Short mmCIF file of all heavy atoms in Angstrom, two decimals:
data_model
loop_
_atom_site.label_atom_id
_atom_site.label_comp_id
_atom_site.label_asym_id
_atom_site.label_seq_id
_atom_site.Cartn_x
_atom_site.Cartn_y
_atom_site.Cartn_z
N TYR H 30 91.77 44.43 84.21
CA TYR H 30 90.44 44.04 84.66
C TYR H 30 90.24 42.52 84.62
O TYR H 30 89.70 41.94 85.59
CB TYR H 30 89.36 44.72 83.80
CG TYR H 30 89.07 46.15 84.20
CD1 TYR H 30 89.37 47.19 83.33
CD2 TYR H 30 88.49 46.45 85.42
CE1 TYR H 30 89.10 48.51 83.67
CE2 TYR H 30 88.20 47.76 85.78
CZ TYR H 30 88.51 48.79 84.90
OH TYR H 30 88.25 50.09 85.25
N PRO H 31 90.65 41.83 83.53
CA PRO H 31 90.45 40.37 83.54
C PRO H 31 91.15 39.68 84.70
O PRO H 31 90.59 38.74 85.31
CB PRO H 31 91.05 39.93 82.19
CG PRO H 31 90.88 41.12 81.31
CD PRO H 31 91.11 42.30 82.21
N VAL H 32 92.35 40.12 85.04
CA VAL H 32 93.07 39.52 86.16
C VAL H 32 92.31 39.78 87.46
O VAL H 32 92.13 38.88 88.30
CB VAL H 32 94.51 40.07 86.25
CG1 VAL H 32 95.17 39.62 87.57
CG2 VAL H 32 95.33 39.58 85.08
N PHE H 33 91.84 41.01 87.64
CA PHE H 33 91.12 41.36 88.88
C PHE H 33 89.88 40.50 89.05
O PHE H 33 89.65 39.92 90.13
CB PHE H 33 90.74 42.84 88.87
CG PHE H 33 89.77 43.21 89.96
CD1 PHE H 33 90.19 43.31 91.28
CD2 PHE H 33 88.42 43.41 89.67
CE1 PHE H 33 89.29 43.63 92.30
CE2 PHE H 33 87.52 43.73 90.68
CZ PHE H 33 87.96 43.84 91.99
N PHE H 34 89.05 40.40 88.01
CA PHE H 34 87.80 39.66 88.16
C PHE H 34 88.04 38.15 88.26
O PHE H 34 87.24 37.44 88.89
CB PHE H 34 86.85 39.99 87.00
CG PHE H 34 86.24 41.36 87.11
CD1 PHE H 34 86.62 42.38 86.26
CD2 PHE H 34 85.31 41.64 88.10
CE1 PHE H 34 86.07 43.65 86.38
CE2 PHE H 34 84.76 42.91 88.23
CZ PHE H 34 85.15 43.92 87.36
N THR H 35 89.12 37.67 87.67
CA THR H 35 89.47 36.26 87.86
C THR H 35 89.88 36.00 89.31
O THR H 35 89.49 34.98 89.91
CB THR H 35 90.61 35.86 86.91
OG1 THR H 35 90.21 36.10 85.55
CG2 THR H 35 90.97 34.39 87.07
N LEU H 36 90.67 36.91 89.88
CA LEU H 36 91.04 36.78 91.29
C LEU H 36 89.81 36.87 92.19
O LEU H 36 89.70 36.15 93.18
CB LEU H 36 92.05 37.86 91.66
CG LEU H 36 93.45 37.72 91.07
CD1 LEU H 36 94.30 38.94 91.42
CD2 LEU H 36 94.13 36.45 91.59
N ALA H 37 88.87 37.77 91.84
CA ALA H 37 87.64 37.89 92.62
C ALA H 37 86.84 36.59 92.57
O ALA H 37 86.26 36.16 93.57
CB ALA H 37 86.79 39.05 92.09
N ALA H 38 86.82 35.95 91.40
CA ALA H 38 86.14 34.65 91.30
C ALA H 38 86.82 33.61 92.17
O ALA H 38 86.16 32.80 92.84
CB ALA H 38 86.12 34.18 89.84
N ALA H 39 88.16 33.64 92.20
CA ALA H 39 88.91 32.68 93.02
C ALA H 39 88.62 32.85 94.50
O ALA H 39 88.67 31.88 95.27
CB ALA H 39 90.40 32.83 92.76
N LEU H 40 88.27 34.07 94.91
CA LEU H 40 87.93 34.30 96.32
C LEU H 40 86.70 33.52 96.74
O LEU H 40 86.48 33.28 97.93
CB LEU H 40 87.68 35.80 96.56
CG LEU H 40 88.90 36.72 96.54
CD1 LEU H 40 88.46 38.18 96.64
CD2 LEU H 40 89.86 36.39 97.66
N GLY H 41 85.89 33.10 95.77
CA GLY H 41 84.68 32.34 96.10
C GLY H 41 84.92 30.86 96.30
O GLY H 41 84.02 30.16 96.79
N VAL H 42 86.08 30.37 95.94
CA VAL H 42 86.36 28.93 96.06
C VAL H 42 86.30 28.44 97.51
O VAL H 42 85.70 27.39 97.79
CB VAL H 42 87.71 28.58 95.41
CG1 VAL H 42 88.08 27.12 95.67
CG2 VAL H 42 87.65 28.85 93.90
N PRO H 43 86.92 29.16 98.49
CA PRO H 43 86.81 28.69 99.87
C PRO H 43 85.37 28.54 100.34
O PRO H 43 85.06 27.59 101.08
CB PRO H 43 87.55 29.78 100.67
CG PRO H 43 88.51 30.37 99.70
CD PRO H 43 87.81 30.33 98.38
N ALA H 44 84.48 29.42 99.92
CA ALA H 44 83.08 29.32 100.33
C ALA H 44 82.46 28.05 99.78
O ALA H 44 81.68 27.37 100.48
CB ALA H 44 82.30 30.54 99.87
N ILE H 45 82.77 27.68 98.53
CA ILE H 45 82.24 26.46 97.94
C ILE H 45 82.69 25.24 98.75
O ILE H 45 81.90 24.35 99.07
CB ILE H 45 82.69 26.34 96.48
CG1 ILE H 45 82.10 27.49 95.65
CG2 ILE H 45 82.27 24.99 95.89
CD1 ILE H 45 82.67 27.58 94.24
N ILE H 46 83.97 25.22 99.11
CA ILE H 46 84.51 24.11 99.89
C ILE H 46 83.85 24.05 101.26
O ILE H 46 83.46 22.97 101.75
CB ILE H 46 86.04 24.25 100.03
CG1 ILE H 46 86.71 24.14 98.66
CG2 ILE H 46 86.60 23.19 100.99
CD1 ILE H 46 88.18 24.49 98.66
N LEU H 47 83.67 25.21 101.89
CA LEU H 47 83.07 25.25 103.22
C LEU H 47 81.60 24.82 103.20
O LEU H 47 81.12 24.17 104.13
CB LEU H 47 83.21 26.65 103.82
CG LEU H 47 84.63 27.04 104.24
CD1 LEU H 47 84.72 28.54 104.51
CD2 LEU H 47 85.07 26.25 105.47
N VAL H 48 80.88 25.16 102.13
CA VAL H 48 79.50 24.70 102.02
C VAL H 48 79.46 23.17 101.95
O VAL H 48 78.62 22.52 102.59
CB VAL H 48 78.81 25.30 100.77
CG1 VAL H 48 77.45 24.63 100.54
CG2 VAL H 48 78.61 26.79 100.93
N LEU H 49 80.39 22.58 101.21
CA LEU H 49 80.45 21.13 101.12
C LEU H 49 80.74 20.51 102.48
O LEU H 49 80.17 19.47 102.84
CB LEU H 49 81.51 20.71 100.11
CG LEU H 49 81.21 21.04 98.64
CD1 LEU H 49 82.43 20.78 97.76
CD2 LEU H 49 80.01 20.23 98.14
N VAL H 50 81.62 21.14 103.26
CA VAL H 50 81.95 20.64 104.60
C VAL H 50 80.72 20.71 105.51
O VAL H 50 80.39 19.76 106.22
CB VAL H 50 83.12 21.43 105.20
CG1 VAL H 50 83.35 21.03 106.66
CG2 VAL H 50 84.39 21.19 104.39
N VAL H 51 80.03 21.86 105.49
CA VAL H 51 78.84 22.03 106.33
C VAL H 51 77.74 21.06 105.90
O VAL H 51 77.06 20.46 106.74
CB VAL H 51 78.34 23.49 106.26
CG1 VAL H 51 77.00 23.64 106.97
CG2 VAL H 51 79.37 24.44 106.88
N ALA H 52 77.57 20.89 104.57
CA ALA H 52 76.55 19.97 104.08
C ALA H 52 76.85 18.53 104.50
O ALA H 52 75.93 17.78 104.85
CB ALA H 52 76.45 20.06 102.56
N ALA H 53 78.12 18.15 104.47
CA ALA H 53 78.50 16.79 104.90
C ALA H 53 78.17 16.58 106.37
O ALA H 53 77.68 15.51 106.76
CB ALA H 53 79.99 16.56 104.64
N ARG H 54 78.41 17.60 107.19
CA ARG H 54 78.07 17.49 108.62
C ARG H 54 76.56 17.35 108.80
O ARG H 54 76.09 16.57 109.63
CB ARG H 54 78.59 18.71 109.36
CG ARG H 54 78.25 18.70 110.87
CD ARG H 54 78.80 19.94 111.54
NE ARG H 54 78.60 19.92 112.97
CZ ARG H 54 77.58 20.49 113.61
NH1 ARG H 54 76.65 21.11 112.91
NH2 ARG H 54 77.48 20.44 114.92
N GLU H 55 75.80 18.13 108.02
CA GLU H 55 74.34 18.05 108.12
C GLU H 55 73.84 16.65 107.76
O GLU H 55 72.93 16.12 108.40
CB GLU H 55 73.69 19.09 107.19
CG GLU H 55 73.87 20.53 107.65
CD GLU H 55 73.16 20.80 108.95
OE1 GLU H 55 71.98 20.44 109.07
OE2 GLU H 55 73.79 21.36 109.86
N ARG H 56 74.43 16.04 106.73
CA ARG H 56 74.00 14.69 106.34
C ARG H 56 74.33 13.66 107.42
O ARG H 56 73.55 12.75 107.67
CB ARG H 56 74.68 14.30 105.02
CG ARG H 56 74.10 14.99 103.80
CD ARG H 56 74.56 14.30 102.52
NE ARG H 56 76.00 14.35 102.37
CZ ARG H 56 76.66 15.34 101.77
NH1 ARG H 56 75.98 16.37 101.28
NH2 ARG H 56 77.96 15.33 101.67
N ARG H 57 75.49 13.83 108.07
CA ARG H 57 75.87 12.89 109.12
C ARG H 57 74.96 13.01 110.33
O ARG H 57 74.64 12.03 111.00
CB ARG H 57 77.32 13.13 109.57
CG ARG H 57 78.36 12.68 108.56
CD ARG H 57 79.73 12.62 109.20
NE ARG H 57 80.14 13.90 109.78
CZ ARG H 57 80.79 14.85 109.14
NH1 ARG H 57 81.11 14.67 107.85
NH2 ARG H 57 81.12 15.97 109.74
N ARG H 58 74.51 14.24 110.63
CA ARG H 58 73.71 14.47 111.82
C ARG H 58 72.24 14.17 111.60
O ARG H 58 71.50 13.92 112.55
CB ARG H 58 73.84 15.93 112.29
CG ARG H 58 75.23 16.30 112.73
CD ARG H 58 75.33 17.78 113.06
NE ARG H 58 74.60 18.12 114.25
CZ ARG H 58 73.46 18.82 114.28
NH1 ARG H 58 72.93 19.26 113.16
NH2 ARG H 58 72.86 19.11 115.42
N ALA H 59 71.79 14.21 110.34
CA ALA H 59 70.36 14.11 110.06
C ALA H 59 69.68 12.88 110.65
O ALA H 59 68.60 12.99 111.24
CB ALA H 59 70.13 14.17 108.55
N PRO H 60 70.26 11.65 110.52
CA PRO H 60 69.55 10.49 111.05
C PRO H 60 69.34 10.52 112.55
O PRO H 60 68.38 9.97 113.07
CB PRO H 60 70.47 9.32 110.65
CG PRO H 60 71.27 9.84 109.51
CD PRO H 60 71.49 11.28 109.82
#
């Protein structure tokens, strides 16, 4: 179980990175 839930947590890392990418685009476009 610990290995499974750790892997499940790791699945969320790409989403965090993608949010940062989308947020950076929003900041560039805002002005």
Side-chain angles (χ1 to χ4, degrees):
Y30 280 114
V32 170
F33 168 74
F34 287 109
T35 301
L36 290 174
L40 289 174
V42 173
I45 296 171
I46 296 171
L47 289 167
V48 171
L49 292 171
V50 173
V51 172
R54 179 180 184 264
E55 289 295 311
R56 285 195 298 272
R57 288 194 303 270
R58 295 175 69 252

